[in-house]
């Protein structure tokens, strides 16, 4: 079974940091780019970041660039999202998702496996 | 405000056909493939259409996608009550160097 399981969510004060993890199983992890997508309460989907299959290429949404860092450990089949200088508008469910394409830095063909989401609440 | 534009809501009767539009620009839909996602209440999104028209394994053939220029559409035929969900289009944007989503369309099956 192909699975993604996020962890590390919680309540954090504005300005503080938090790290999310996403553990993958059931597929060859280092063949796929991985994305983070978030959804604020009652709102739509917002893409956050992508990291290529080998970690050499990373891209970020404008809203998080300079504050969030995506990384991966292919030996542990895990992708991370380090979030710093958190703001109230970062409150959301954070999903990790697998890019459908194999061994590519072209991210055009969809996210075909999603985790269940990790809830991050930024509040004092 | 989302980079891709979708109608906020639509409704149709069971058994009928509905289309959901998605409008973008030359830097996203005009240059890259469009993907569609279905999000049932309280669940993670599910990839419905990949590469403009391809249905991943397990997706019913009642769902179909198309693209023309800087616009795309998702069509759902033979509507069922369990098709009630939020539907999102998405495409890579070469100018932003990131993935962009539409604002989502809430489908109600009356």
């Amino acid at each position: 079974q192909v699975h993604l399981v996020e962890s590390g969510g919680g309540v954090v004060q504005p300005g503080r940091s938090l790290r999310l993890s996403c553990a993958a199983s059931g597929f060859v992890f280092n063949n796929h780019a991985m994305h983070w997508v978030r959804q604020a309460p009652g709102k739509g989907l917002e893409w956050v970041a992508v990291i290529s299959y080998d970690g050499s290429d990373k891209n970020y949404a404008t809203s998080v660039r300079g504050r969030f860092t995506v990384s991966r450990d292919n030996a542990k089949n895990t992708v991370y999202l380090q979030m710093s200088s958190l703001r109230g508008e970062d409150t959301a469910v954070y999903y990790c998702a697998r890019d459908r394409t194999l061994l590519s830095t072209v991210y055009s063909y969809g996210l075909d496996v999603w985790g269940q989401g990790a809830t991050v609440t930024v509040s004092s | 405000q989302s980079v891709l534009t979708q109608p906020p809501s639509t409704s149709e009767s069971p058994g009928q056909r509905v289309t959901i539009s998605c409008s973008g620009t030359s830097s996203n839909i005009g240059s890259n493939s469009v993907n569609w996602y279905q999000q049932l209440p309280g669940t993670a999104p599910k990839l419905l259409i990949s590469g403009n028209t391809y249905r991943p394994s397990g997706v019913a053939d009642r769902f179909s996608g198309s693209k023309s220029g800087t616009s795309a559409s998702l069509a759902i035929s033979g509507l069922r009550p369990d098709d009630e969900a939020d539907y999102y289009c998405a495409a890579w944007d070469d100018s932003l160097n990131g993935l962009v989503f539409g604002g989502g369309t809430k489908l109600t099956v009356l």
Side-chain angles (χ1 to χ4, degrees):
Chain A
Q1 281 280 57
V2 176
H3 273 307
L4 296 173
V5 179
E6 299 96 338
S7 60
V11 180
V12 60
Q13 293 178 328
R16 303 298 290 257
S17 299
L18 198 64
R19 188 179 82 157
L20 302 180
S21 301
C22 170
S25 60
F27 65 97
V28 182
F29 180 70
N30 58 11
N31 279 355
H32 293 268
M34 297 296 296
H35 298 253
W36 288 94
V37 176
R38 68 185 182 183
Q39 187 168 34
K43 302 296 185 183
L45 301 174
E46 179 189 15
W47 176 80
V48 173
V50 61
I51 183 168
S52 62
Y53 62 97
D54 61 358
S56 64
D57 184 54
K58 303 175 186 180
N59 296 99
Y60 299 91
T62 303
S63 58
V64 306
R65 193 174 295 131
R67 300 187 300 123
F68 289 12
T69 301
V70 62
S71 61
R72 64 190 295 160
D73 185 338
N74 283 346
K76 295 183 177 180
N77 288 354
T78 302
V79 61
Y80 304 97
L81 185 68
Q82 178 68 47
M83 304 182 291
S84 60
S85 302
L86 281 162
R87 307 165 180 167
E89 53 264 38
D90 296 318
T91 294
V93 174
Y94 285 74
Y95 296 100
C96 66
R98 185 182 83 169
D99 195 281
R100 184 167 175 269
T101 312
L102 292 172
L103 298 170
S104 173
T105 55
V106 175
Y107 310 120
S108 295
Y109 295 99
L111 313 182
D112 65 344
V113 180
W114 295 67
Q116 85 287 353
T119 300
V120 173
T121 303
V122 183
S123 173
S124 54
Chain B
Q1 189 159 344
S2 302
V3 174
L4 304 182
T5 301
Q6 298 179 235
S9 63
T10 190
S11 61
E12 190 50 88
S13 302
Q16 297 303 303
R17 183 178 186 270
V18 69
T19 61
I20 298 172
S21 63
C22 176
S23 177
T25 68
S26 58
S27 64
N28 42 66
I29 293 179
S31 307
N32 297 293
S33 296
V34 177
N35 308 298
W36 290 90
Y37 298 89
Q38 177 193 58
Q39 187 176 32
L40 298 170
T43 69
K46 170 189 173 183
L47 181 63
L48 211 55
I49 298 290
S50 167
N52 303 321
T53 60
Y54 172 75
R55 277 189 310 275
S57 174
V59 175
D61 60 5
R62 301 185 297 106
F63 297 90
S64 62
S66 64
K67 172 184 146 177
S68 178
T70 58
S71 294
S73 292
L74 171 71
I76 311 172
S77 60
L79 276 170
R80 299 166 24 163
D82 59 0
D83 292 330
E84 278 204 350
D86 293 321
Y87 292 86
Y88 296 89
C89 59
W92 187 260
D93 191 297
D94 292 334
S95 294
L96 296 174
N97 214 23
L99 189 63
V100 292
F101 283 93
T105 299
K106 183 175 184 61
L107 170 63
T108 301
V109 181
L110 301 166

